[in-house]
Amino acid sequence: TFVSTRSPILFEKGSGRLYTTGFYADEGGPLKIDSARTNIAEFSLKTGIVEYKVKYPKFYWGVNWGGAGGFRQSLADINGRTIVISFMADHWLTTYDTYNGSEKKFYAGSKYFNEIRSMDYPSNFLSFANEYKVYEYYCREGSYCSIKYDPYRKVYYRVAELPLKQINWNQSRTPQKQKSIIFLDSAFVKIGEVLFPTEKYDLNHL
């Protein structure tokens, strides 16, 4: 299990429950493993019991998304009692209401790319694929990363990463995908999308 500083932690004082978001790093192989992967751990400080919530979407099951260098990462933010999850290979956002345990999906896709394809390798091929092949795959496919809620303007910002048509390995830094920011209102209705120039912004800035 992996929890990073990219992922929020929510504590509900009334119920005494702690929520962490992250991902399991053992994807690939039998569908039984992938279908059980979850994104949220709910820990009760009163009972000591840990429960797991929000499964990865079905299209993540039994295929190869490139592991750590690909699209297995999920990023999240918190709005009140709601956890909002941005899966890297999903055009839709997933929300989880910690009060009633309900899940919802909201379309938040980029207008600059449609299909996001998994790697053309068996799901268990990851241990044999070199970093160059995985990063080349990452560059050629569109994807998503950060989701952030702005409580002052009451809007969400979702970062999209556009696919590269040409990959130049001879430059001074590794190839960078152009980024855009998708704007959604507090009800997850898309407001617009703005491109960022590649020479000013890269993944490390986001």
Side-chain angles (χ1 to χ4, degrees):
T1 306
F2 187 90
V3 177
S4 75
T5 53
R6 295 181 179 185
S7 305
I9 296 175
L10 174 64
F11 175 61
E12 286 188 347
K13 187 176 181 180
S15 64
R17 292 177 297 184
L18 185 73
Y19 295 87
T20 62
T21 63
F23 67 92
Y24 284 104
D26 61 350
E27 77 278 12
L31 284 174
K32 184 177 180 181
I33 295 177
D34 282 349
S35 62
R37 293 175 65 218
T38 53
N39 193 257
I40 295 174
E42 175 193 286
F43 174 59
S44 172
L45 297 179
K46 295 180 180 180
T47 65
I49 296 174
V50 180
E51 295 184 13
Y52 300 95
K53 314 289 183 178
V54 184
K55 289 185 177 182
Y56 269 67
K58 286 187 177 181
F59 56 80
Y60 269 98
W61 302 359
V63 294
N64 193 326
W65 288 97
F71 301 156
R72 78 176 175 193
Q73 176 72 276
S74 64
L75 296 99
D77 202 8
I78 295 170
N79 179 7
R81 68 188 192 192
T82 300
I83 299 174
V84 184
I85 304 166
S86 172
F87 291 100
M88 288 188 73
D90 198 352
H91 296 296
W92 296 69
L93 294 171
T94 301
T95 64
Y96 179 75
D97 189 321
T98 59
Y99 183 76
N100 57 28
S102 63
E103 295 180 33
K104 293 182 180 179
K105 301 274 284 185
F106 299 93
Y107 184 77
S110 172
K111 64 182 180 182
Y112 297 106
F113 58 92
N114 295 312
E115 184 182 14
I116 305 175
R117 299 165 297 182
S118 60
M119 293 187 76
D120 293 327
Y121 295 118
S123 57
N124 61 353
F125 187 77
L126 182 61
S127 60
F128 304 103
N130 61 48
E131 293 182 7
Y132 168 81
K133 286 292 184 183
V134 173
Y135 194 77
E136 181 182 41
Y137 157 72
Y138 161 77
C139 288
R140 293 197 185 281
E141 294 292 327
S143 55
Y144 300 95
C145 49
S146 298
I147 177 75
K148 294 296 178 186
Y149 181 65
D150 183 340
Y152 303 101
R153 295 180 177 86
K154 293 182 171 54
V155 295
Y156 290 92
Y157 310 113
R158 189 188 196 191
V159 179
E161 305 175 306
L162 282 58
L164 278 177
K165 295 181 180 179
Q166 292 184 334
I167 301 177
N168 180 11
W169 295 102
N170 296 320
Q171 55 190 16
S172 58
R173 64 174 185 169
T174 54
Q176 296 290 318
K177 295 159 75 173
Q178 186 172 14
K179 310 299 189 296
S180 73
I181 289 191
I182 301 166
F183 300 89
L184 306 107
D185 67 16
S186 58
F188 299 100
V189 176
K190 188 174 178 180
I191 301 169
E193 184 173 4
V194 174
L195 280 173
F196 277 1
T198 54
E199 64 272 13
K200 291 186 179 180
Y201 297 94
D202 64 24
L203 187 61
N204 291 328
H205 299 140
L206 299 171

